């Protein structure tokens, strides 16, 4: 079963959003690894209008989505609008060439959300499950895009078909948790922001990451965290925990790409 992981960073910090990571399991509180591995699925195709006015000629499965396609405010950010005329190939190449920059992935996400969200939503049974599954799909695409070479795709397969195939395969693999076990809020943490925040967490020292997650996911006090660490053989006072938390928040924000901070944390995206 695919587990849900959540870290909620306090609103008194610039990263005052609920986010996902694969560090601690909400339901058990145990440190585990997120399940990986995907099995092939059957491609799902449809025809739908993109944010940028492009029509993709795939056969229709269901012409009417059950729920509206979400509107993501980052699509109106000046950095993303400036990329509207870039081709898919150009955005993919820039994403691969400049991994320290996030705007190219965000632009692809905004461009293809209208095509992929109805496909995901059709199998999810509820808006909450659809949002969570949609975020998991884009987390997988984020990793897959790093090595994608459009020139090596099978004859007759373009980028849109590749996205649909990968989305179908991912949906086929994921076993969603029960509705009551899903706490993901897509309005608070857009899928691209989750991807880069998850990467930033990976780059933090493990001990600092653990302290941040214990404080923000489980709302543990500095005293309780210090007691836990002391039981594990670490000598850290509550004051020391507080200091490490502040360092952790600063380091987490530092590891985010500068343009991701501008898009998601500076309040510049307009609805």
């Amino acid at each position: 079963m695919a587990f849900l992981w959540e870290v909620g960073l306090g609103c008194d910090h610039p990263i005052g959003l609920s986010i996902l990571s694969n560090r601690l399991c909400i339901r058990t509180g145990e440190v585990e690894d997120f399940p990986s591995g995907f099995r092939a699925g059957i491609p799902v195709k449809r025809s739908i209008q993109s944010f940028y006015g492009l029509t993709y000629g795939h056969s229709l499965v269901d012409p009417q989505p059950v729920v509206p396609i979400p509107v993501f405010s980052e699509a109106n950010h000046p950095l993303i609008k400036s990329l509207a005329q870039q081709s898919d190939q150009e955005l993919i190449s820039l994403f691969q060439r400049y991994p320290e920059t996030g705007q190219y992935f965000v632009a692809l996400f905004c461009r293809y959300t209208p095509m992929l969200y109805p496909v995901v939503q059709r199998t999810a049974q509820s808006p909450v499950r659809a949002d969570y599954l949609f975020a998991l799909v884009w987390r997988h695409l984020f990793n897959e895009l790093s090595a994608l070479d459009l020139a090596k795709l099978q004859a007759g397969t373009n980028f849109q078909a590749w996205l649909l195939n990968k989305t179908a395969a991912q949906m086929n693999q994921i076993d969603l948790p029960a509705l009551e076990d899903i706490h993901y809020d897509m309005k608070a943490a857009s899928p691209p922001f989750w991807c880069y925040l998850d990467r930033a967490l990976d780059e933090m020292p493990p001990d600092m990451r653990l302290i941040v997650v214990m404080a923000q996911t489980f709302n543990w006090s500095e005293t309780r965290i210090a007691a836990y660490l002391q039981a594990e053989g670490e000598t850290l006072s509550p004051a020391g925990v507080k200091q490490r938390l502040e360092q952790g928040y600063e380091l987490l924000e530092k590891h985010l790409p500068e343009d991701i901070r501008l898009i998601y944390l500076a309040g510049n995206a307009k609805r």
Side-chain angles (χ1 to χ4, degrees):
M1 172 162 299
F3 291 96
L4 171 65
W5 318 85
E6 183 180 35
V7 179
L9 298 182
C11 292
D12 57 340
H13 188 267
I15 309 181
L17 298 169
S18 295
I19 57 113
L20 294 174
S21 80
N22 57 349
R23 297 297 157 252
L24 294 179
C25 180
I26 282 181
R27 289 175 287 168
T28 66
E30 297 172 355
V31 179
E32 298 175 335
D33 290 325
F34 194 87
S36 61
F38 308 93
R39 64 177 183 267
I42 300 174
V44 179
K45 297 183 178 180
R46 67 177 285 110
S47 174
I48 193 162
Q49 193 77 7
S50 79
F51 276 174
Y52 295 87
L54 302 176
T55 300
Y56 307 110
H58 299 291
S59 60
L60 288 174
V61 175
D62 178 1
Q64 295 296 329
V66 177
V67 296
I69 297 171
V71 176
F72 292 94
S73 59
E74 58 262 48
N76 292 320
H77 193 280
L79 284 175
I80 304 307
K81 282 187 170 183
S82 69
L83 299 172
Q85 302 305 316
Q86 299 287 328
S87 68
D88 293 342
Q89 177 65 75
E90 289 169 332
L91 290 175
I92 294 168
S93 297
L94 290 167
F95 168 71
Q96 294 172 346
R97 193 180 310 159
Y98 304 106
E100 73 284 357
T101 302
Q103 58 191 282
Y104 310 118
F105 177 70
V106 177
L108 288 168
F109 168 80
C110 292
R111 181 174 295 182
Y112 285 105
T113 282
M115 184 179 78
L116 297 184
Y117 189 83
V119 174
V120 172
Q121 172 271 324
R122 202 174 293 115
T123 68
Q125 300 177 343
S126 76
V128 172
R129 290 166 65 89
D131 287 356
Y132 179 47
L133 180 57
F134 184 66
L136 292 177
V137 165
W138 275 101
R139 184 179 185 271
H140 178 62
L141 293 174
F142 178 75
N143 296 322
E144 290 283 316
L145 281 167
S146 298
L148 176 63
D149 185 350
L150 292 181
K152 295 183 178 180
L153 294 180
Q154 293 181 349
T157 301
N158 58 17
F159 181 56
Q160 292 95 329
W162 180 87
L163 284 172
L164 288 164
N165 290 341
K166 290 294 182 180
T167 298
Q170 180 74 339
M171 291 190 302
N172 185 53
Q173 192 278 333
I174 291 176
D175 185 10
L176 287 174
L179 183 62
E180 60 270 18
D181 292 325
I182 298 176
H183 304 283
Y184 174 60
D185 182 359
M186 195 159 62
K187 293 180 179 179
S190 180
F193 184 65
W194 168 24
C195 292
Y196 284 99
L197 196 52
D198 192 61
R199 191 177 73 176
L201 283 166
D202 281 339
E203 295 172 355
M204 293 178 64
D207 58 337
M208 185 176 291
R209 181 173 60 229
L210 178 62
I211 290 174
V212 169
V213 171
M214 285 192 294
Q216 298 301 331
T217 300
F218 300 106
N219 199 29
W220 284 13
S221 66
E222 288 92 352
T223 300
R224 185 174 181 182
I225 294 173
Y228 172 84
L229 294 175
Q230 289 170 9
E232 296 295 319
E234 299 286 340
T235 56
L236 197 63
S237 66
V241 169
K242 182 177 181 179
Q243 183 180 18
R244 292 286 284 170
L245 279 172
E246 292 301 321
Q247 294 171 348
Y249 297 147
E250 292 176 5
L251 187 60
L252 185 59
E253 185 175 356
K254 180 181 178 181
H255 282 310
L256 288 172
E258 182 179 358
D259 58 348
I260 291 297
R261 296 199 301 268
L262 287 172
I263 293 168
Y264 292 104
L265 303 181
N268 291 329
K270 299 176 182 178
R271 292 192 177 276

